[in-house]
Amino acid sequence: MSVGFLLIHARPQRAWSAILSWFLFAAGLAAYLWVAQARHRENPEDRVTPTLAQMATGMYNAVMQPAEEDEAAPPAANFYDRLSHSMLWRDTRATSRRFLLSLALLIPAVLLGLHMGLFPYVGVFFLRFVLFFDKIVALSLLPILFIAFGIDELSKIMLIVIGVTPTIILDSFNLTRGVPPEQIVKAFTLGAGDFDVAYRVVLKQVAPRVLNSIRLNLKAVMLFLFAGEMIASTDGLAYRIALLRRHMGMDVIIPYVLWVALLLFLVDFAMRTVNRKLHPWFHEA
Amino acid sequence: MLIHIEDVFVAYGSPPRAVLAGINLEIEEGEFVCVLGQTGCGKSTLLRLILGSEHPMRGRILVDGREHHQPDRTRGYVPQKYSLFPDKTVLDNITFGCEVSEFGLFARLTPAFYRRRKQLRAEAFDYLQRIGLRSCDAKKYPDQLSGGMQQRVAIAQALMTKPRILLMDEAFSALDPGTRRGMQQLVRDLWKATGTTILFVTHNTDEALRLGTRVIVLAKESVDQGSRIAMDLSVPAPCGDEEIPSLVRRLELVSESCAL
Amino acid sequence: MLWRFSTLLLLAASAFAQKPSFTVGWSVYAGWTPYHYMNKSGILRKWADKYGITIKVQRFDYAPSLDAFVARNIDACTMTNMEALDMPAASGVPTTAILIGDYSNGNDALLVRNGLQLKDLPGKKMLLVEKTVSEYLFDRAMTLGGLREQIKRVRMINTSDSDIATAFIGDANASAVVTWKPMVSQIAKQKGVTSLFNSSQIPGEILDLTVVRTDVLSRPDGAGQKFAKALAGAWFETLAQMSTPGAAGDKVLAAIAEGSQDSLASYKEQLGTTKMFYTPKEAAGFGASPELKQKMALVRQFCFDHGLLGANTKSVDDVAIRYPDGSIQGKPDRVRLVYDLGYMQLAAQGKL
Ligand SMILES: Nc1ncnc2c1ncn2[C@@H]1O[C@H](COP(=O)(O)OP(=O)(O)OP(=O)(O)O)[C@@H](O)[C@H]1O
Ligand SMILES: [Mg+2]
């Protein structure tokens, strides 16, 4: 502790690591509470920084009360009934559905990148266009999306597709290009055909890296999804945040934001675990 | 005549710089040809030409009387690096060639495939023993093996599909002298047992003389000219230890004097 | 924390400059764009100098302007009567309306496709910015049409105002849309789109105000009062210029329209459906009329029913309003929104 403290060769003890790694969380929470308390002393009706108790009630209502646009659940309903009619559950379900659908749409993107990297004609056909498309700021295309795809689910999914798929396509294209040519030649000398090479050799090799690249893009997917939901929607987590924002319902917004962060973390964690289980040979650099 | 190379010319870059110029070469079935030459003289290029992954700008290359436009089963390949598929176990790497050439993408779902795979695995275990690996290595992934073991598996993998020609590019250059000696013995034995024609690229003159029945030296006559075959030497059948030093000196002299 | 810091900074700066400084925020809307001209033409500067203060003008998008006001980053702001109630007032920031600029007299409208009627709307898709005057307008339309029970059955889709025009035009499945000008004009140009209801049928219910934080007005050094007076003076001078008939007035209107990148013709069209109170007399007169109380009663009930006053507000009376005659709607100890005609009256008497 004395010699190497704060230097590259420092070896923090376990206890210190634990304390230090949680320190900023604690500091953030304390700062928030302090500000919230100060503001509430000055203005007991302040809505910008709700206290923990207010957030707890806000969240309790979000979890246990039926959503405003839902039919009121019978008063005697049990816990699960009430949960399934609640704001939080409905919003989470709607957003997750869109989220998973967009993730599924990334699979063709990966395959396109793979083919572009392997088959020269596919490459020249798409590459320039995808490179161009990658630079388009998808949000600015919204009016066109609305006209082309309506304002329902499709336009929201398309927003994500336009916003995220070029990155994924280019990423899997580059990863495919990164496979040593020796491997491809070798596969051919062993009697593999073009599609064996594409799917059994190259795709299997780039799969873990592609999964990682999708993991890095999860936030972008969520960002576009939120933008779509905030602009036109009837349900979803971002829809609720947009609505509550209009009258500063921070007591629900803050827990909602934390909930979204937790969900994203869980998705990321699940993908990492799957990646590790599926590709035991792969070691992250 | 198994391989027939006729007045081949290759250049790279712009403006084009000749790498190989006026290469003429005939290789008979069953020969063990070692290719020597200084770095950058085009040895790997020559192998790639025979593989068919690259094409000459002039001249032609016939393998078994035919021009080939892409690599296929008749020519096996053991590159210096990246020879094994990192996502497959040792066993799967060895059986990969047979599986993939006998079963299409969807035929793998049939029971016939699983029956055949059983046989192939038995065969692969045979190879494992011959190249001196233990059966517990079969379940390992390539990056869990040492460099020497990896090259052995790569050779087994290439031999499983029984190619008529085996092309090896500096396959042993990353190995220590002891392992190297063992590997040379292994290749020599396998060559004798299978009768495969082998083209073996190496930097090591001594190794070339010990292994090959024939040694070819590629060298440039001047800086801006492509390499040509500067020497083509038939190695006397049992190359005795006492002849080797003088031959080595002779070969290295050729290789160096041309490079000036 | 930020606002505290910024007020501190402001205080420090003003102590240094010996001149109290105030900021007024506005957003693009026919009745508020005059602020752009007021600032650019030097009218505001003139009035600020007269009272020995500095006034800064800042343009916002509508929602952020409300946030900035609630967070006390700005001292005065333009907003509707409904937002004055559900944003600052309901967030415990006591607010005083010092200027009644206009009321929407057709600016907000409910438009439908294929000649639908109000009674056809249940079950149909409708685009609007929920929890705003748009929803209020729709609520009123259905109530006046005797269809109050059916409101919940209309499928409302919350659509951002910046995209609502293209969203409605692009989606043939959306049967109805509630929005305001200039989007209304764009949408109304489409074939087969008709207007079912507009704000001229509920005159005086959607008011456009300039509000100041009550604690700014009651600053001990009296600078807040000066600020309100300067604003009122500058405002009515601008409006007088605007309403000059002929070319001189058009020139002013064109300069105002520029503030929202609009054309003179389009701006005039919007003014046609906006009942501007051009003179302080008119404005104060409207503020003093008993109508104001009735209309605010409708608005505050709507806000309460839709939870806009906050989840913790148990009764509609918890956010009370005080009127110029001294009467109070709601609990007397919970007055949060005040209509103060004083500044408009001073302007009317020429005493500013
Ligand atoms: N794709 C390419 N593009 C441009 N130049 C190339 C390409 N491939 C090879 N070369 C050039 O051709 C020459 C011969 O390359 P090659 O790899 O055949 O050499 P080598 O004899 O195998 O050398 P080493 O012993 O170092 O492996 C080198 O100068 C190299 O720079
Ligand atoms: Mg080489």
Side-chain angles (χ1 to χ4, degrees):
Chain A
M1 177 94 190
S2 57
V3 182
F5 180 58
L6 282 187
L7 295 182
I8 290 178
H9 290 287
R11 293 261 177 279
Q13 288 163 7
R14 271 182 78 97
W16 271 110
S17 306
I19 292 170
L20 286 176
S21 65
W22 287 105
F23 177 77
L24 284 179
F25 286 94
L29 187 66
Y32 178 85
L33 290 179
W34 187 66
V35 171
Q37 213 193 13
R39 289 188 65 110
H40 276 271
R41 242 198 329 269
E42 212 150 304
N43 171 10
E45 286 158 60
D46 181 72
R47 283 204 235 161
V48 181
T49 51
T51 58
L52 287 188
Q54 280 172 324
M55 283 196 260
T57 14
M59 214 46 201
Y60 177 80
N61 290 340
V63 177
M64 293 297 18
Q65 303 285 307
E68 199 188 331
E69 60 275 5
D70 206 336
E71 311 295 320
N78 65 25
F79 180 81
Y80 289 103
D81 265 2
R82 286 171 63 173
L83 191 64
S84 69
H85 283 274
S86 74
M87 216 159 93
L88 185 75
W89 172 248
R90 283 172 52 108
D91 292 340
T92 308
R93 200 182 46 195
T95 300
S96 314
R97 217 193 52 237
R98 293 184 190 121
F99 186 74
L100 294 179
L101 211 61
S102 353
L103 282 192
L105 278 175
L106 293 183
I107 295 172
V110 170
L111 293 184
L112 180 60
L114 175 81
H115 285 253
M116 279 167 57
L118 278 176
F119 298 86
Y121 273 103
V122 184
V124 292
F125 188 78
F126 284 108
L127 184 59
R128 193 175 291 258
F129 186 70
V130 175
L131 273 174
F132 161 76
F133 223 78
D134 188 46
K135 304 293 172 287
I136 297 279
V137 180
L139 279 175
S140 54
L141 284 183
L142 267 184
I144 301 176
L145 289 185
F146 282 146
I147 289 176
F149 304 108
I151 54 162
D152 286 331
E153 300 303 281
L154 190 58
S155 61
K156 282 183 213 66
I157 305 279
M158 286 316 284
L159 179 65
I160 301 172
V161 166
I162 293 174
V164 185
T165 47
T167 320
I168 299 287
I169 293 175
L170 289 179
D171 224 8
S172 42
F173 168 79
N174 285 331
L175 288 171
T176 306
R177 279 298 178 86
V179 172
E182 283 96 333
Q183 293 263 305
I184 296 169
V185 172
K186 175 101 193 190
F188 276 111
T189 65
L190 291 174
D194 281 20
F195 288 96
D196 294 313
V197 170
Y199 293 99
R200 282 200 208 167
V201 176
V202 178
L203 181 59
K204 279 194 74 176
Q205 264 186 54
V206 298
R209 290 191 182 85
V210 166
L211 266 176
N212 274 347
S213 130
I214 291 179
R215 272 177 53 204
L216 284 180
N217 278 296
L218 282 181
K219 191 155 162 193
V221 172
M222 209 54 163
L223 217 59
F224 283 111
L225 182 53
F226 266 42
E229 284 188 354
M230 282 194 179
I231 282 159
S233 187
T234 53
D235 50 9
L237 293 162
Y239 159 82
R240 192 72 57 190
I241 291 175
L243 267 196
L244 291 169
R245 235 187 69 85
R246 214 157 286 139
H247 56 273
M248 289 218 165
M250 297 307 283
D251 51 339
V252 181
I253 292 182
I254 294 176
Y256 254 61
V257 169
L258 295 178
W259 170 239
V260 172
L262 177 70
L263 286 181
L264 265 185
F265 173 80
L266 288 180
V267 173
D268 186 64
F269 183 76
M271 282 179 75
R272 200 169 69 203
T273 314
V274 166
N275 206 357
R276 218 183 282 143
K277 285 267 165 333
L278 234 46
H279 311 288
W281 53 273
F282 179 70
H283 305 292
E284 277 162 82
Chain B
M1 202 59 44
L2 186 58
I3 302 175
H4 173 86
I5 299 178
E6 192 180 301
D7 198 26
V8 157
F9 176 86
V10 176
Y12 285 121
S14 62
R17 275 191 47 215
V19 173
L20 296 175
I23 303 275
N24 285 294
L25 189 64
E26 310 253 311
I27 295 170
E28 302 274 0
E29 178 110 47
E31 276 192 278
F32 194 136
V33 183
C34 289
V35 183
L36 280 171
Q38 294 203 319
T39 181
C41 73
K43 304 181 296 291
S44 301
T45 308
L46 183 66
L47 280 203
R48 286 200 296 270
L49 289 173
I50 298 172
L51 272 169
S53 66
E54 240 168 74
H55 307 288
M57 298 172 88
R58 280 206 301 274
R60 51 189 200 141
I61 294 158
L62 301 182
V63 176
D64 215 9
R66 260 185 344 107
E67 276 191 272
H68 293 254
H69 296 289
Q70 64 173 54
D72 60 42
R73 278 190 81 171
T74 54
R75 286 143 296 154
Y77 182 40
V78 182
Q80 178 181 352
K81 291 185 293 184
Y82 307 120
S83 52
L84 295 177
F85 303 116
D87 56 312
K88 296 176 173 60
T89 60
V90 167
L91 200 64
D92 289 340
N93 258 296
I94 297 179
T95 57
F96 178 77
C98 296
E99 280 178 17
V100 88
S101 48
E102 289 168 32
F103 295 89
L105 218 46
F106 296 104
R108 300 190 65 165
L109 304 172
T110 59
F113 169 75
Y114 291 94
R115 279 199 300 276
R116 175 75 179 125
R117 188 160 76 172
K118 242 191 179 146
Q119 292 172 1
L120 286 175
R121 289 203 160 157
E123 210 175 311
F125 269 112
D126 243 28
Y127 265 103
L128 269 183
Q129 309 239 292
R130 271 165 75 185
I131 60 176
L133 266 72
R134 286 163 300 160
S135 24
C136 63
D137 294 326
K139 285 266 170 302
K140 287 186 179 165
Y141 287 99
D143 68 349
Q144 295 168 306
L145 301 178
S146 70
M149 284 157 112
Q150 283 182 22
Q151 285 304 0
R152 287 176 211 215
V153 177
I155 294 168
Q157 179 190 40
L159 288 176
M160 266 294 273
T161 51
K162 308 201 167 53
R164 297 186 61 188
I165 304 168
L166 185 60
L167 304 162
M168 301 174 80
D169 194 351
E170 299 181 30
F172 305 153
S173 59
L175 308 181
D176 65 278
T179 320
R180 204 171 176 137
R181 215 36 70 68
M183 294 295 287
Q184 287 166 0
Q185 197 57 48
L186 174 75
V187 169
R188 187 85 186 182
D189 290 347
L190 286 170
W191 170 69
K192 277 197 183 132
T194 56
T196 313
T197 309
I198 295 181
L199 225 79
F200 191 96
V201 169
T202 173
H203 277 295
N204 190 321
T205 321
D206 184 76
E207 179 173 75
L209 286 168
R210 281 179 196 286
L211 278 175
T213 58
R214 184 178 169 193
V215 177
I216 291 172
V217 180
L218 282 183
K220 289 183 183 186
E221 274 164 15
S222 71
V223 193
D224 40 73
Q225 260 179 318
S227 302
R228 18 175 77 258
I229 296 178
M231 190 171 184
D232 190 341
L233 178 85
S234 278
V235 183
C239 189
D241 276 345
E242 62 279 10
E243 292 169 64
I244 284 183
S246 67
L247 278 174
V248 167
R249 223 170 303 127
R250 232 180 94 199
L251 286 170
E252 280 173 358
L253 215 67
V254 169
S255 172
E256 272 163 29
S257 65
C258 287
L260 297 174
Chain C
M1 206 62 256
L2 204 70
W3 63 263
R4 257 196 186 175
F5 187 61
S6 59
T7 24
L8 252 177
L9 243 158
L10 271 179
L11 275 177
S14 59
F16 183 69
Q18 298 294 323
K19 240 184 183 183
S21 166
F22 298 90
T23 309
V24 49
W26 66 280
S27 44
V28 171
Y29 174 71
W32 296 329
T33 346
Y35 270 103
H36 170 75
Y37 175 74
M38 201 161 116
N39 187 36
K40 224 180 103 189
S41 66
I43 298 176
L44 188 63
R45 154 80 60 85
K46 193 183 81 190
W47 281 89
D49 287 348
K50 178 173 175 183
Y51 283 98
I53 56 173
T54 319
I55 302 179
K56 286 205 268 312
V57 176
Q58 197 172 348
R59 212 198 95 174
F60 286 90
D61 277 346
Y62 187 48
S65 76
L66 301 179
D67 292 347
F69 185 76
V70 172
R72 298 169 197 250
N73 289 328
I74 55 178
D75 307 288
C77 189
T78 57
M79 60 185 75
T80 66
N81 53 340
M82 181 170 148
E83 260 86 35
L85 196 63
D86 72 33
M87 287 291 283
S91 306
V93 177
T95 301
T96 302
I98 59 161
L99 296 173
I100 302 176
D102 66 275
Y103 63 76
S104 169
N105 197 21
N107 258 340
D108 298 80
L110 161 63
L111 304 166
V112 290
R113 270 189 224 284
N114 311 326
L116 292 179
Q117 294 300 312
L118 272 181
K119 61 175 178 6
D120 305 325
L121 288 181
K124 296 270 175 10
K125 204 154 95 177
M126 180 170 81
L127 313 190
L128 78 170
V129 190
E130 286 182 48
K131 315 284 184 208
T132 61
V133 286
S134 292
E135 191 166 345
Y136 176 75
L137 182 85
F138 180 68
D139 202 281
R140 294 286 291 141
M142 295 296 268
T143 309
L144 292 176
L147 293 162
R148 199 174 165 73
E149 308 309 308
Q150 303 286 332
I151 291 175
K152 272 214 154 175
R153 294 194 44 231
V154 180
R155 283 175 50 215
M156 296 191 196
I157 298 192
N158 184 43
T159 310
S160 149
D161 50 333
S162 42
D163 296 293
I164 199 165
T166 35
F168 181 73
I169 292 167
D171 189 354
N173 288 327
S175 307
V177 61
V178 188
T179 184
W180 54 88
K181 285 193 175 175
M183 287 81 84
V184 165
S185 318
Q186 278 170 15
I187 297 171
K189 279 188 209 131
Q190 296 290 308
K191 259 212 330 267
V193 173
T194 50
S195 171
L196 259 194
F197 190 87
N198 68 47
S199 50
S200 70
Q201 285 154 276
I202 48 167
E205 289 182 31
I206 303 176
L207 290 177
D208 300 309
L209 311 170
T210 298
V211 302
V212 182
R213 285 206 322 272
T214 305
D215 61 331
V216 169
L217 285 180
S218 54
R219 261 169 69 150
D221 62 355
Q225 295 282 339
K226 289 180 187 164
F227 170 52
K229 283 178 187 167
L231 265 189
W235 175 256
F236 285 111
E237 183 174 337
T238 309
L239 258 54
Q241 288 190 14
M242 256 176 94
S243 52
T244 319
D250 276 2
K251 224 174 108 191
V252 175
L253 290 180
I256 294 176
E258 204 177 77
S260 56
Q261 252 91 67
D262 208 348
S263 69
L264 176 61
S266 154
Y267 186 56
K268 274 186 159 172
E269 195 241 302
Q270 290 169 46
L271 281 182
T273 47
T274 309
K275 171 70 185 106
M276 293 295 295
F277 296 119
Y278 283 116
T279 64
K281 215 172 135 218
E282 268 181 287
F286 181 83
S289 70
E291 267 175 84
L292 178 65
K293 242 178 276 182
Q294 294 157 16
K295 296 188 166 160
M296 283 311 289
L298 291 170
V299 172
R300 72 189 196 120
Q301 193 58 46
F302 173 86
C303 289
F304 180 70
D305 291 345
H306 285 78
L308 302 183
L309 300 183
N312 299 327
T313 307
K314 298 287 178 287
S315 147
V316 66
D317 290 328
D318 277 351
V319 182
I321 309 171
R322 191 169 72 223
Y323 293 93
D325 60 6
S327 62
I328 290 172
Q329 234 166 19
K331 296 179 184 156
D333 59 331
R334 295 187 61 90
V335 172
R336 293 289 181 267
L337 179 61
V338 177
Y339 279 97
D340 188 347
L341 301 183
Y343 307 96
M344 291 183 273
Q345 279 160 352
L346 283 176
Q349 295 155 11
K351 285 188 184 159
L352 284 174

